[in-house]
Amino acid sequence: HVQLVESGGGSVQPGGSLRLSCTASCTDSRYTNSGHCMAWFRQAPGTEREGVAAACSNGRKTYADSVRDRFTSVKDNPKNALYLQMNSLKPEDTAMYYCAAVWGRWTARLLEPSEYEFWGQGTQVTVS
């Protein structure tokens, strides 16, 4: 009952920046203002999907160690959106980036893919 739309991927040189956006729309109005968590995951060819950053409507947030000093997430609760500012990008950041959400509850395992019920289509980030 939640649709996720991502934008903001692209190609950039090492050291550059990109900003990803994810907006959630609830198809069931009963859940629009429910507690929730949103996250960014990424997956490069031949690798497992890994959590990058996550934030919940109660203010809790976390980052993967590999991006902690370079990426910043901003949660906009009124807009049900999650933004990811990515600075000092490295070639190893190249991947498909997916937005995900769990709605109507929170989760303690913010960077665990299996915790998330709803997924966007993904947006490609290439650093070279």
Side-chain angles (χ1 to χ4, degrees), residues 21 27 36-37 45 51 65 72 77 82 84 90 94 97 108 114 116 122:
S21 299
T27 57
H36 60 273
C37 297
D65 289 341
T72 302
N77 286 334
L82 180 67
L84 185 67
K90 304 175 181 180
T94 295
Y97 283 69
S114 63
Y116 290 82

Side-chain angles (χ1 to χ4, degrees), residues 22 37 39 41 53 74-76 85 89 91 93 95-96 115 117 126:
C22 177
C37 297
F41 291 84
V74 175
K75 183 74 173 64
D76 187 333
Q85 178 65 42
L89 283 161
D93 294 317
M96 185 70 79
E115 289 291 304
E117 303 161 297
T126 302

Side-chain angles (χ1 to χ4, degrees), residues 22-104:
C22 177
T23 301
S25 299
C26 291
T27 57
D28 187 334
S29 60
R30 294 175 296 174
Y31 295 95
T32 300
N33 296 316
S34 297
H36 60 273
C37 297
M38 297 176 68
W40 286 100
F41 291 84
R42 66 186 181 187
Q43 188 169 22
T47 68
E48 293 187 353
R49 191 167 294 190
E50 65 167 341
V52 175
C56 300
S57 56
N58 62 359
R60 186 175 175 214
K61 63 184 349 181
T62 193
Y63 298 92
D65 289 341
S66 59
V67 307
R68 189 177 303 277
D69 296 328
R70 301 183 294 121
F71 292 8
T72 302
S73 69
V74 175
K75 183 74 173 64
D76 187 333
N77 286 334
K79 295 183 179 180
N80 287 334
L82 180 67
Y83 307 102
L84 185 67
Q85 178 65 42
M86 305 185 294
N87 298 327
S88 302
L89 283 161
K90 304 175 181 180
E92 50 263 44
D93 294 317
T94 295
M96 185 70 79
Y97 283 69
Y98 297 91
C99 181
V102 54
W103 217 267

